[in-house]
Amino acid sequence: MSRFLRISLYLVLLAGLIWYGRTRDPRVTLAMCLAEPEKYHGTRIEVANETIVQQLFNDGFTIRYLGKTVTVIGDPTGLRPNEFLSMIAVFDRSGRLLLEKKHLALYRRWKIWVSVPPVLLFLIFFLRRYRLDLSTLQWQEADRA
Amino acid sequence: MPDLITHSAFAYALTRSQRFDRFRVIFYLGTVLPDVITRPFYIINPHLYPYTVAVHTPLFMILFCLLAAEFFIEPLRKPVRLYLLAGVFLHLFLDFFQRHIESGYLWLFPFSWKTFEIGLFWPETPLMLAPLWLTLIAAYEAIRLLRKKSD
């Protein structure tokens, strides 16, 4: 099989997997619940995906999820505004969530930022070691080019 | 995912043998690859998350490594495939020890949506040890340089 055909085949398979993951995921998300509140009333869901704590109250808190503010009824102990949160909650048709359990992802911002330097370092190592032949779009070792 | 310093430190520790010299950087890139082609998209735009569900899975990563190897000259493709995949599987192995509030990684995607993991630590926990890994690597490199100079 030629290189062009192999590349085309891999690209089609990868795109197919992305499409399958996008369209066939059986998990109910908060976005789906908010779009159809009656249909998903009483559904137990996992809420994560870059969800951020907004305001804290005595009996609950609000979160920022995909640009929307959502009220959560439940114990806010240990939460801090502006930190990432993942939680299990039951969706109510009113658009609110009833908290079952939560995990505050403290230091997630740090984790994201400290993950950048290793990637940049490896890219520098790679570019020092390999050269791209633009005519064939193939990398080869710089010291053997 | 643990932070990429932790992933990289494990990759560093495993590739001290001279056998890795020629393709060490490929192994390192494999070690960070599952997160590099997933996280930036939905961290910058969380609406893109559904499009990344498939990406951080073994099957997708295998196909991606096969694709990436096609962009190397023919004699390098086999070792690039091997080292890139080895790095990717080291990454997935470490991720397997994490815990999530409920659903973790989809190891059997697209054949199953079931998730399972050992659940030893939260994704943020290894960050506390990152300074230790960096200190150990710096100490090892310093000793190696001193030995080289004295030879």
Side-chain angles (χ1 to χ4, degrees), chain A residues 85-98:
Chain A
L85 174 79
S86 57
M87 63 182 183
I88 302 296
V90 176
F91 182 76
D92 183 86
R93 62 167 66 87
S94 64
R96 294 184 302 180
L97 291 165
L98 306 173

Side-chain angles (χ1 to χ4, degrees), chain A residues 95-106:
Chain A
R96 294 184 302 180
L97 291 165
L98 306 173
L99 182 69
E100 279 194 5
K101 57 180 174 175
K102 64 183 188 296
H103 168 67
L104 190 68
L106 271 180

Side-chain angles (χ1 to χ4, degrees), chain A residues 3 46 111 138-139 141, chain B residues 1 22 70-71 77 103:
Chain A
R3 179 176 169 241
E46 181 178 353
K111 196 181 89 164
Q138 292 180 103
W139 294 91
E141 285 165 297
Chain B
M1 61 152 190
R22 194 169 162 199
E70 293 297 330
F71 291 92
R77 280 181 206 152
S103 57

Side-chain angles (χ1 to χ4, degrees), chain B residues 36-105:
Chain B
V36 165
I37 62 172
T38 318
R39 313 298 182 204
F41 296 103
Y42 70 76
I43 288 173
I44 292 168
N45 183 356
H47 290 276
L48 294 177
Y49 177 75
Y51 295 94
T52 66
V53 165
V55 180
H56 200 289
T57 62
L59 182 63
F60 189 98
M61 291 312 306
I62 289 169
L63 290 170
F64 191 89
C65 291
L66 296 179
L67 173 67
E70 293 297 330
F71 291 92
F72 286 80
I73 56 169
E74 211 283 326
L76 293 181
R77 280 181 206 152
K78 194 176 170 188
V80 165
R81 259 181 231 129
L82 193 75
Y83 281 85
L84 208 51
L85 276 170
V88 162
F89 277 93
L90 173 65
H91 180 108
L92 298 178
F93 176 74
L94 289 182
D95 280 357
F96 188 58
F97 288 88
Q98 286 186 145
R99 67 186 290 199
H100 291 89
I101 196 149
E102 194 152 282
S103 57
Y105 295 112

Side-chain angles (χ1 to χ4, degrees), chain A residues 3 6-7 10-11 13-14 17-18 20-22 24-27 44 46 49-50 66 86-88 101-108 110-112 114-115 118-119 122-123 125-126 129-130 137-141 144, chain B residues 1-5 8 21-23 25-26 28-29 32 36 42-43 46-47 49-51 53-55 59-60 63-64 66-67 70-74 76-77 101-104 106 109-110 113 122-124 127-128:
Chain A
R3 179 176 169 241
R6 283 196 304 271
I7 289 173
Y10 294 143
L11 285 173
L13 289 171
L14 291 171
L17 286 175
I18 289 172
Y20 187 82
R22 169 73 185 87
R24 295 285 188 268
D25 193 339
R27 295 170 294 185
R44 187 175 180 268
E46 181 178 353
N49 191 16
E50 311 305 305
L66 298 182
S86 57
M87 63 182 183
I88 302 296
K101 57 180 174 175
K102 64 183 188 296
H103 168 67
L104 190 68
L106 271 180
Y107 311 116
R108 180 168 155 74
W110 274 93
K111 196 181 89 164
I112 292 167
V114 304
S115 292
V119 177
F122 297 156
L123 281 177
F125 286 164
F126 179 81
R129 187 150 183 93
Y130 295 92
L137 281 183
Q138 292 180 103
W139 294 91
Q140 53 188 309
E141 285 165 297
R144 293 163 204 238
Chain B
M1 61 152 190
D3 59 277
L4 291 183
I5 286 183
S8 306
D21 279 356
R22 194 169 162 199
F23 295 104
V25 68
I26 301 291
Y28 287 162
L29 283 174
V32 297
V36 165
Y42 70 76
I43 288 173
H47 290 276
Y49 177 75
Y51 295 94
V53 165
V55 180
L59 182 63
F60 189 98
L63 290 170
F64 191 89
L66 296 179
L67 173 67
E70 293 297 330
F71 291 92
F72 286 80
I73 56 169
E74 211 283 326
L76 293 181
R77 280 181 206 152
I101 196 149
E102 194 152 282
S103 57
L106 302 164
F109 177 87
W113 291 91
W122 290 101
E124 305 77 34
L127 185 65
M128 308 299 130

Side-chain angles (χ1 to χ4, degrees), chain A residues 53-72:
Chain A
V53 179
Q54 271 192 324
Q55 274 187 296
L56 302 178
F57 307 105
N58 288 335
D59 60 346
F61 53 96
T62 58
I63 54 170
R64 192 86 183 145
Y65 170 86
L66 298 182
K68 293 184 176 116
T69 298
V70 179
T71 301
V72 184

